[in-house]
Amino acid sequence: MIGAGRGSCRRHPGPVVIALSVLGLLLLAGCTTIRGLVDTENALTRAGFTHVDVNFSSNNGFDQVEVALRPKSTELPKADAEDAARVVWTTFPLRFDLLRLELLGTGGPEVTTYTYSEMAETFGARPPGLDDKELGDDVVRAGVGVAIVLAIFGLLFTVGVVLAIVLGLRASRRRRSVVPPPWPPVAR
């Protein structure tokens, strides 16, 4: 067994690895938006759409989900748009105000928009839990989390630099204070 012998030393992950792991977990755990974008994109692909791209924008409390995709068929773009809107309505895990749907490859992009109230009227109530959080609030929460982590890293970095300078100065002073006697000794 490797490392089980006497005098073996077990390596621990460095502070950088730990810090990056914490940052990654914070971003993944705190950002429902990113998971929602990926899950919605996958759901649209499973529904038969291709070249799917899901994004969002949030401006002064107005939250918009933007979807670009190729329809399943070129004969029924309106039906495909409604089908795609239904997938977003039942998949995207945050409350939003507007869905902007762009169908690609239909003789030029065809844009259809659906307001929250239009979708509620057309598709009924959203599945439980999808409207619990606002899109804009989640983006702000993730940004604040990243800012806090970056501030902590900045502070730790500054402390490390100051500590290295202080220890370096002390070491150089010690070397100067211990001057060896001249060799060979001077005869008197």
Side-chain angles (χ1 to χ4, degrees):
M1 184 157 51
I2 298 174
R6 206 179 221 195
S8 69
C9 94
R10 177 179 259 174
R11 289 190 50 109
H12 295 284
V16 172
V17 173
I18 293 170
L20 290 175
S21 299
V22 168
L23 177 63
L25 289 173
L26 175 68
L27 288 174
L28 288 176
C31 195
T32 308
T33 305
I34 293 171
R35 278 196 320 265
L37 293 172
V38 171
D39 291 347
T40 304
E41 196 168 298
N42 291 338
L44 287 163
T45 302
R46 282 192 306 273
F49 296 99
T50 59
H51 299 86
V52 178
D53 185 30
V54 181
N55 289 298
F56 70 91
S57 64
S58 185
N59 189 10
N60 293 328
F62 186 80
D63 303 324
Q64 177 175 310
V65 176
E66 302 155 355
V67 178
L69 48 76
R70 282 201 192 278
K72 296 186 255 186
S73 69
T74 53
E75 293 94 35
L76 301 168
K78 184 163 175 54
D80 280 348
E82 193 168 298
D83 190 26
R86 178 179 284 108
V87 171
V88 173
W89 182 250
T90 58
T91 306
F92 194 73
L94 299 163
R95 183 175 170 82
F96 56 93
D97 300 305
L98 184 76
L99 169 64
R100 183 180 181 276
L101 190 62
E102 184 176 345
L103 296 175
L104 307 170
T106 55
E110 186 176 315
V111 176
T112 306
T113 58
Y114 296 90
T115 64
Y116 184 91
S117 58
E118 289 172 337
M119 293 177 81
E121 188 177 305
T122 304
F123 306 125
R126 295 187 79 195
L130 293 185
D131 278 344
D132 290 350
K133 295 180 185 176
E134 297 275 335
L135 176 60
D137 293 342
D138 191 60
V139 172
V140 168
R141 191 173 25 261
V144 167
V146 169
I148 289 171
V149 169
L150 290 176
I152 290 170
F153 282 130
L155 181 64
L156 291 174
F157 178 77
T158 303
V159 167
V161 168
V162 168
L163 189 60
I165 291 170
V166 167
L167 292 175
L169 288 174
R170 278 188 180 175
S172 85
R173 283 184 188 149
R174 270 195 222 121
R175 278 191 295 261
R176 275 189 264 144
S177 68
V178 180
V179 178
W183 195 257
V186 178
R188 292 188 194 192

